[in-house]
Amino acid sequence: MDKPRVRFAPSPTGYLHIGGARTALFNWLWARRHGGTFILRIEDTDQGRSTKEAEAAIFDGLRWLGLDWDEGPDVGGPHAPYFQMERLDLYEAYAEKLIAEGKAFACYCTREELEAGRKHAEAEKRQYRYPGTCREKPYDRSRPHVIRFRVPEHGATGWDDLVKGPISTPHDTLQDEVILRSDRVPLYNFGAVVDDITMKVNLVGRGDDHVNNTARQILMYRALGYPVPSFAHFPMILGADKTRLSKRHGATSVTAYRDMGFLPEAVVNYLVRLGWSHGDQEIFSLEELVRLFDLKDVGATAGVFNPEKMAWVNHEWLKKVPEEALAAKALPYFRAAGLAVEDGPKLRHVVRVARERAKTFGEYVQQFRYFFAPVTFDAKAREKFFTKDTRPVLEAIRAGIAALPAMDTEPLEKLFQAEAEKRGLGLGKIAQPVRVALTGGTASPGMYDVVQILGKDETLRRLDEGIRLAG
RNA sequence: GGCCCGUUAGUCUAGCGGUCAGGACGUCGGCCUCUCACGCCGAAAACAUGGGUUCAAAUCCCGUACGGGUCACCA
């Protein structure tokens, strides 16, 4: 087999979508696995919707995921340019060739005429098909026109899809479709084919919403006289209601997950498992995937995007990061939340207790902001644990801590235990009021850890406030 | 509606003619325990449906139902 040349060809009309990211990932993995080439091509021919911002967002997203491209924007390559709007001459030349050979023709129908035909067909509940009005008309460049590709009337075109197996499309469901607009800008099917030919792409891996484009594209390869590449159509990613994943289902952009505090390793890991598997294994690094990924293990069924499992995967990855590095990664998230956090021992300690309890950096910030900000009390906890009965406990612990020279675990443990014994109470009766005073709530890391992280002074301040509130 | 594709627990999946249908997320129960979490142990939970083929079908074939995709001078 030739070394694969694959591509990811997004249109820059929005951020990098989860589904697009997975398509890019599968292609990238296939290329890396076989020492092939991964090409990034920007399909910006929809001038109404394409933006430079979207383009930048897509580059960002891919880079963040660790998917680098061998040919494409910024890095260049032997088949540059990699923006379709810079390749217009090429499409025109290929279209002219087809016209000269009678495989394409100029169509002078107006949009209004076409629309009327469509309406008419709809009224009669017929399938609309371009009636071939201009099929035999001579080529007159001076009149406004589009170029249409001539599709055979009979028969069918099929291929053996690397993911879905044999697929065939009858020609009578196709029509003489437009390949060049009146302004000479190509339409998707033609632009993609010409680019894939000239960029020598030999495997086209894309979402299975393109299955219905494949037969027409194969017809174009043949008309142009080039070998047809292999095709692999990846199943869609669905939302919880089993419809195509969209904004209605929540965050769908890769960068949104970055901002929520997911690790790129986790996003890659989760996405690859949505549609691909390797026995019972769940956790895969990129390096491992490059070794193991195989298109034949990609399933044919659409999958529902499950944020909870993605969070679990993220947690698994978070637990692998060494403490110091984890603190460095978490820092920007605390800062973004407006917390005056310094990179230092305190943050490392917070991260140490957070890592077992929170699945994203977003949750780190949400759950542990009290280490860096004044306590906000949970109303119920405050009512339940700040009472005339608990006040003496708070005072005793306050006094005990004030008397300690340092906040080491052993003496703290002794202090709490002694207090519990003295009062004939369980440790919980001692720890809970203290916990509320120090953290504002009833769930937190171990009490001695919290005291150590807060430090003696801050601990005493918070206990004082608790005592005051306990009346 | 036409055409194309799909269908194993709530979800992601293993399975590729003979398995007690396996794993993971989630859920529930237990252990651990100062709370929460982690960890550990355990449980409930699936082959859409009807026909074939076969000694034998989750696995192969056909129909039905359901789901998705697509029918532009969008990609």
Side-chain angles (χ1 to χ4, degrees):
Chain A
M1 188 179 76
D2 290 342
K3 297 255 186 212
R5 288 185 57 83
V6 299
R7 42 74 161 186
F8 177 56
S11 67
T13 54
Y15 48 71
L16 180 61
H17 187 272
I18 285 290
R22 194 192 56 168
T23 298
L25 174 62
F26 282 179
N27 276 292
W28 184 90
L29 287 172
W30 187 251
R32 290 291 170 268
R33 160 85 192 272
H34 297 287
T37 305
F38 178 66
I39 303 163
L40 178 62
R41 179 173 77 226
I42 302 300
E43 306 209 333
D44 52 357
T45 54
D46 185 341
Q47 296 169 80
R49 296 195 302 148
S50 297
T51 66
K52 281 286 157 193
E53 292 71 45
E55 220 174 86
I58 290 166
F59 297 160
D60 269 5
L62 290 173
R63 290 199 182 101
W64 181 69
L65 289 172
L67 308 183
D68 54 336
W69 49 97
D70 307 304
E71 295 177 23
D74 294 345
V75 303
H79 306 288
Y82 292 89
F83 293 86
Q84 289 193 321
M85 286 308 286
E86 295 172 20
R87 300 168 65 82
L88 261 25
D89 292 348
L90 199 59
Y91 312 121
E92 194 154 354
Y94 277 75
E96 290 292 348
K97 181 172 175 253
L98 289 176
I99 295 169
E101 294 171 3
K103 294 169 179 167
F105 59 93
C107 171
Y108 310 96
C109 298
T110 64
R111 289 173 205 254
E112 291 70 32
E113 287 163 351
L114 263 11
E115 191 49 38
R118 240 174 247 125
K119 285 257 167 60
H120 190 66
E122 195 184 332
E124 293 182 357
K125 295 193 192 302
R126 275 181 13 243
Q127 292 300 314
Y128 174 78
R129 257 184 112 201
Y130 172 71
T133 320
C134 303
R135 265 197 160 186
E136 309 306 332
K137 290 184 183 167
Y139 188 14
D140 180 357
R141 292 162 202 265
S142 66
R143 291 174 65 190
H145 64 275
V146 299
I147 305 299
R148 285 183 187 271
F149 179 70
R150 197 183 293 266
V151 173
E153 301 271 355
H154 305 291
T157 292
W159 73 99
D160 192 12
D161 197 274
L162 264 34
V163 171
K164 291 174 175 281
I167 301 179
S168 174
T169 304
H171 291 162
D172 61 12
T173 65
L174 270 24
Q175 56 182 330
D176 294 343
E177 71 179 285
V178 177
I179 56 175
L180 236 48
R181 300 164 157 103
S182 44
D183 61 4
R184 313 302 275 184
V185 175
L187 266 87
Y188 168 72
N189 280 310
F190 190 60
V193 166
V194 170
D195 285 341
D196 287 337
I197 287 171
T198 52
M199 293 178 183
K200 301 190 163 35
V201 169
N202 52 19
L203 169 68
V204 174
R206 74 237 292 199
D208 79 9
D209 48 338
H210 287 291
V211 165
N212 292 290
N213 289 322
T214 307
R216 340 171 184 197
Q217 294 186 357
I218 290 174
L219 257 10
M220 290 182 200
Y221 279 98
R222 291 192 184 138
L224 257 10
Y226 288 92
V228 178
S230 303
F231 291 94
H233 288 95
F234 310 128
M236 298 275 89
I237 298 179
L238 274 23
D241 59 359
K242 304 244 183 185
T243 62
R244 189 192 190 127
L245 188 67
S246 74
K247 282 181 269 286
R248 291 184 300 108
H249 300 102
T252 53
S253 81
V254 167
T255 40
Y257 286 93
R258 176 185 65 193
D259 296 345
M260 282 186 261
F262 284 80
L263 256 19
E265 292 88 337
V267 174
V268 162
N269 192 153
Y270 177 71
L271 287 181
V272 81
R273 279 288 290 105
L274 199 51
W276 173 88
S277 61
H278 182 75
D280 287 340
Q281 189 172 346
E282 295 287 348
I283 301 300
F284 299 89
S285 67
L286 250 199
E287 297 69 39
E288 210 170 358
L289 289 172
V290 167
R291 255 189 304 117
L292 299 174
F293 183 79
D294 197 323
L295 283 173
K296 77 171 166 45
D297 298 320
V298 173
T301 72
V304 174
F305 182 77
N306 183 341
E308 286 191 327
K309 181 147 186 187
M310 185 153 120
W312 173 79
V313 172
N314 197 56
H315 197 194
E316 293 303 301
W317 278 98
L318 245 18
K319 286 191 276 187
K320 289 178 190 287
V321 181
E323 198 172 292
E324 193 119 351
L326 192 62
K329 287 175 193 286
L331 182 61
Y333 292 91
F334 282 100
R335 290 228 169 108
L339 298 168
V341 179
E342 293 304 314
D343 188 6
K346 183 170 177 179
L347 179 58
R348 280 205 298 284
H349 292 151
V350 169
V351 148
R352 179 157 58 204
V353 298
R355 70 184 316 160
E356 299 299 326
R357 278 164 253 259
K359 295 177 179 170
T360 64
F361 289 128
E363 290 179 7
Y364 277 38
V365 173
Q366 186 197 329
Q367 290 179 32
F368 303 103
R369 59 179 304 126
Y370 56 74
F371 282 123
F372 306 102
V375 175
T376 48
F377 291 100
D378 173 76
K380 270 204 232 144
R382 179 176 154 173
E383 192 183 338
K384 181 170 177 190
F385 291 103
F386 291 163
T387 65
K388 60 182 183 318
D389 293 333
T390 62
R391 181 178 168 141
V393 172
L394 290 168
E395 284 171 333
I397 294 294
R398 194 226 179 267
I401 287 177
L404 289 175
M407 298 297 99
D408 295 325
T409 304
E410 294 256 322
L412 282 169
E413 207 174 328
K414 275 196 189 125
L415 170 63
F416 276 69
Q417 274 165 357
E419 212 49 50
E421 268 171 49
K422 193 160 78 190
R423 293 163 197 277
L425 296 171
L427 233 197
K429 294 287 186 191
I430 307 299
Q432 278 311 74
V434 173
R435 189 183 313 281
V436 175
L438 299 187
T439 71
T442 54
S444 84
M447 227 45 273
Y448 316 133
D449 286 330
V450 173
V451 170
Q452 281 162 6
I453 294 170
L454 251 20
K456 184 171 179 176
D457 292 349
E458 182 60 19
T459 298
L460 293 178
R461 261 195 294 280
R462 292 187 182 192
L463 286 170
D464 284 338
E465 177 66 1
I467 290 162
R468 193 181 68 77
L469 291 169

